[in-house]
Amino acid sequence: MRFVALNAPSAARSALVTLAALAAALLICALVFTLSGHAPGEVYGTMLRGTLGDSTGLGEVGRRTIPLLLIGAGLALAFRAQFFNIGAEGQLLLGAVFAAGTALFVPLPGPLLLPAVFVAGFVGGGLWALIAAALRRVNVNEILSTLMLNYIAVALVTYLIAGPWKGKDVRGYIYTDTFPASTYLPTLPGSQVHWPTLLLGVAVALGLQWVLSRSTFGYALRVVGENPGAARYAGLSSGRVALLVALITGGVAGLAGAGEVAGIHHRLLEAGQISLGYGFTAVIVAWLARGNPALCLITAPLMGVILAGGDILKIDLNLPFRVVDVFSGVILLCLIASEVFIRHRVQWGRA
Amino acid sequence: MDNVVIEALVRALAVGTPLLLACLGAILNERAGVVNLGVEGLMAVGALAAFAVAASSPDANLWLAVGASMLAGAALALLHAVATITLRANQFVSGLALALIGTGAAGLLGKRFEGLPLFNKVADLSLGGLTVSPFTVAALLLAGAMAFWLGATRSGLTLRSVGENPAAADVLGVNVGLIRVLAVMGGGALAGLAGAFLSLSYRSSWADNMTAGLGWIAVALVIFVGWRPLRAIAGALFFGFLYYLQFRLQGNSPIPTEVFSAMPFILVLVVLALAGVRGQAGNAPAALGRAYVRGER
């Protein structure tokens, strides 16, 4: 078997290969379910009914789409610059921490507090990602550093809610006091879809697409990502691009964290309750969108179904929530393994 | 005083054992030019496979359990090999996917083993008054054997050539793809063995997320020890000692426990940064992380 490079792979070929990869992933997952003693038909049926079958389910999908859209759009940008940020989980948590700190301890008048909460979220997530970008300058692989930063972020959140920020009106539980009501985001009736953050996500996805395809910075970013050698020759600093990309991608993950605590929980609580693995799932959102932030408008709801479906499977079929990791991992693997078929056609036999 | 030192050493060796085994596995596949970030997932399936076999009956064969862990690790690693070597997928992202699949599948399939007793755990050895797991002895011997094999044998040299200069190796008639696949599967088997140590000896039970980030630390350790098996012993001991300190100081110190749980990960960052500043990242096999396609450079 040989791969023969295609000169100009068509969009149709790309779409077809992506769909085939998704189908293969669902088949492989079905095999895993069978091994674990569950009928795949029942698993998929339960997931679909519980997520797309009624308005409650759709609301749950919507709620999970919000952070996935924000983070995914940022990651799409980062991947184009070959900055493999796997630490959106930690950046989201730091965004939530900064947002909570602002909501709880910064005395601002009502109308100013909410914007400040989101700005703080952006700064928190951005700074956390900047650590990885700075470490990259001394040759520390950003996949490893952002992953380590995830674990550190979880410890930081636990420390804060169990220690200095522990709420006065809580007994036994660990979380902070409730935020002031002026930081609450409105939600769509009968759901936890905090629509201002959703709108923010749509704006971010479209805005980043514009930045990527129309701005000078976007051009520099694409050159650095596609041909580092040429970028150096043209005098484009890949280090500076990486710093800016880290700030943006970490910052929007921080916005997602601010949205979760201000829109749903109204307090800082345990890391596992703030995020259901949004950071990792968003990697797939960005990869499925093939590095186009705007396409995350389609791929984020798709993965939103998987996250919401994981919750349904936990409740209805008593499956561990880890099932979401299986979905995520298999989809990701099939996606990247299928990429060769987009740019090449297969020729059987020897050269 | 002696007792404290010896206790620290024994405990550091115990926690260092899975780190050492997984790190040796990662050295094996990285010396052949393939990065596998999926170690955490490989350890998880290894731990489950070993426990599933050992807990199946009171007189289950422990050799069989250990073999199952290595087989499970190698099988999962084969996915990585096919994706990255045959289909040229990005090694870093594929490894990440592998970590998700491994921890996810182990959590899903292992649910029915949660809380079950282990009928016969692997008995500890008594060596000169020290109580150590046979896994620890095996890991130490393996590090020595791997150092010798990579440094002084023809086949070890061939493996390294595939990681340093696959094009040259190819010209000399070396089957680059095959060697890389075997190295990745070998690395997976060792990571699986590290998992078996956790579920058969160290914890003697099965729980979701029992690898608790050890796999990621093992991956980082490879860079810290400069891809050298003997240095990996020192690196694993160092992190093992850190875990021991965490265990010792927890509860009877004014420092919050979260500082200790974050400490290994903070230290990995510091250690990686130090390795980077010292230029140690330059010791990496030259072709590390890149797919080899004949005729392309």
Side-chain angles (χ1 to χ4, degrees):
Chain A
M1 189 174 90
R2 290 195 313 130
F3 294 112
V4 182
L6 296 165
N7 286 330
S10 69
R13 187 179 181 92
S14 174
L16 208 70
V17 169
T18 305
L19 285 179
L22 281 178
L26 291 181
L27 271 176
I28 295 173
C29 289
L31 195 76
V32 178
F33 293 135
T34 313
L35 279 175
S36 76
H38 299 86
E42 192 191 4
V43 172
Y44 287 138
T46 309
M47 265 180 94
L48 283 182
R49 265 194 312 279
T51 52
L52 303 176
D54 56 54
S55 61
T56 319
L58 281 174
E60 288 295 296
V61 173
R63 175 192 153 185
R64 285 161 181 83
T65 300
I66 297 169
L68 291 178
L69 178 59
L70 276 164
I71 303 172
L75 289 183
L77 198 74
F79 292 165
R80 285 293 275 272
Q82 301 279 317
F83 183 77
F84 292 108
N85 175 9
I86 309 300
E89 194 76 15
Q91 290 140 26
L92 178 150
L93 289 178
L94 260 287
V97 164
F98 273 52
T102 307
L104 288 171
F105 306 116
V106 178
L108 277 175
L112 286 181
L113 189 54
L114 189 56
V117 162
F118 272 85
V119 170
F122 185 91
V123 171
L127 287 179
W128 206 240
L130 276 183
I131 300 177
L135 283 169
R136 193 157 106 141
R137 293 217 156 168
V138 288
N139 282 319
V140 177
N141 180 300
E142 69 273 17
I143 294 190
L144 282 177
S145 61
T146 50
L147 263 163
M148 299 299 151
L149 288 166
N150 284 347
Y151 284 100
I152 299 168
V154 170
L156 178 68
V157 170
T158 315
Y159 165 68
L160 286 175
I161 59 177
W165 288 8
K166 186 171 180 182
K168 289 172 220 46
D169 59 345
V170 296
R171 280 184 292 265
Y173 297 99
I174 49 167
Y175 40 71
T176 63
D177 284 329
T178 312
F179 298 167
S182 58
T183 64
Y184 290 15
L185 290 172
T187 51
L188 293 181
S191 77
Q192 289 187 308
V193 180
H194 37 113
W195 56 266
T197 322
L198 183 60
L199 289 184
L200 186 67
V202 174
V204 163
L206 296 176
L208 289 183
Q209 184 70 44
W210 183 88
V211 165
L212 188 65
S213 51
R214 295 267 181 271
S215 74
T216 323
F217 170 64
Y219 177 70
L221 187 157
R222 280 181 287 143
V223 176
V224 164
E226 276 156 38
N227 196 337
R232 208 173 309 126
Y233 192 67
L236 296 170
S237 160
S238 64
R240 193 171 326 138
V241 167
L243 282 180
L244 258 174
V245 163
L247 185 67
I248 295 173
T249 177
V252 291
L255 287 179
E260 291 306 295
V261 290
I264 297 172
H265 307 294
H266 309 306
R267 54 162 73 100
L268 190 66
L269 65 179
E270 278 178 275
Q273 287 175 291
I274 300 174
S275 173
L276 309 164
Y278 292 129
F280 286 116
T281 316
V283 170
I284 303 157
V285 169
W287 215 274
L288 262 176
R290 305 251 169 234
N292 295 298
L295 276 184
C296 293
L297 290 170
I298 301 169
T299 58
L302 199 70
M303 294 309 293
V305 169
I306 294 202
L307 276 187
D311 257 358
I312 298 289
L313 292 179
K314 194 166 108 182
I315 299 163
D316 284 8
L317 297 185
N318 197 22
L319 282 172
F321 192 71
R322 286 262 178 206
V323 62
V324 168
D325 286 351
V326 178
F327 271 119
S328 303
V330 172
I331 293 176
L332 191 57
L333 193 71
C334 287
L335 269 180
I336 59 166
S338 71
E339 245 162 54
V340 69
F341 298 106
I342 295 179
R343 275 184 275 279
H344 301 80
R345 66 190 170 77
V346 180
Q347 197 174 67
W348 296 97
R350 296 199 154 265
Chain B
M1 190 59 208
D2 263 0
N3 277 339
V4 179
V5 175
I6 288 176
E7 195 210 331
L9 185 71
V10 167
R11 302 271 320 181
L13 262 177
V15 189
T17 297
L19 286 175
L20 180 56
L21 285 170
C23 181
L24 290 175
I27 289 176
L28 183 67
N29 49 237
E30 293 200 11
R31 279 293 186 115
V34 185
V35 176
N36 187 351
L37 297 185
V39 175
E40 181 85 1
L42 296 165
M43 276 173 76
V45 294
L48 175 63
F51 190 83
V53 171
S56 61
S57 76
D59 51 306
N61 189 329
L62 284 175
W63 288 104
L64 215 60
V66 170
S69 76
M70 297 181 74
L71 209 62
L76 186 59
L78 184 60
L79 278 185
H80 183 66
V82 170
T84 60
I85 298 164
T86 313
L87 300 174
R88 309 173 198 171
N90 182 312
Q91 293 181 6
F92 295 94
V93 185
S94 170
L96 183 74
L98 210 65
L100 284 171
I101 295 172
T103 48
L108 185 64
L109 304 174
K111 203 176 175 220
R112 67 184 103 144
F113 295 102
E114 208 138 11
L116 283 188
L118 187 64
F119 298 111
N120 50 349
K121 70 172 253 175
V122 172
D124 283 337
L125 300 173
S126 182
L127 292 178
L130 296 184
T131 314
V132 291
S133 167
F135 283 94
T136 308
V137 179
L140 291 172
L141 292 176
L142 195 66
M146 196 187 275
F148 174 78
W149 179 63
L150 283 175
T153 67
R154 195 184 173 84
S155 55
L157 189 66
T158 306
L159 178 105
R160 276 161 53 206
S161 74
V162 163
E164 295 289 347
N165 194 337
D170 191 11
V171 169
L172 293 175
V174 172
N175 189 337
V176 173
L178 178 68
I179 288 193
R180 286 191 163 180
V181 170
L182 291 177
V184 168
M185 291 181 70
L190 286 180
L193 185 63
F197 166 73
L198 290 177
S199 65
L200 295 185
S201 174
Y202 190 67
R203 298 268 159 81
S204 320
S205 64
W206 163 257
D208 186 28
N209 200 26
M210 63 188 295
T211 47
L214 283 174
W216 295 109
I217 290 178
V219 171
L221 205 55
V222 180
I223 301 165
F224 179 50
V225 303
W227 292 267
R228 300 214 184 105
L230 286 180
R231 279 208 210 162
I233 297 177
L237 260 180
F238 173 64
F239 274 94
F241 182 68
L242 209 80
Y243 273 91
Y244 164 74
L245 272 188
Q246 194 190 128
F247 172 78
R248 268 307 287 269
L249 298 178
Q250 227 157 22
N252 50 20
S253 89
I255 306 164
T257 55
E258 287 82 17
V259 174
F260 291 112
S261 45
M263 193 54 78
F265 303 105
I266 295 173
L267 235 100
V268 164
L269 284 183
V270 172
V271 151
L272 286 180
L274 284 178
V277 170
R278 288 212 318 262
Q280 203 164 318
N283 292 345
L288 187 64
R290 291 207 300 273
Y292 172 66
V293 183
R294 188 177 284 178
E296 273 177 26
R297 23 198 291 118

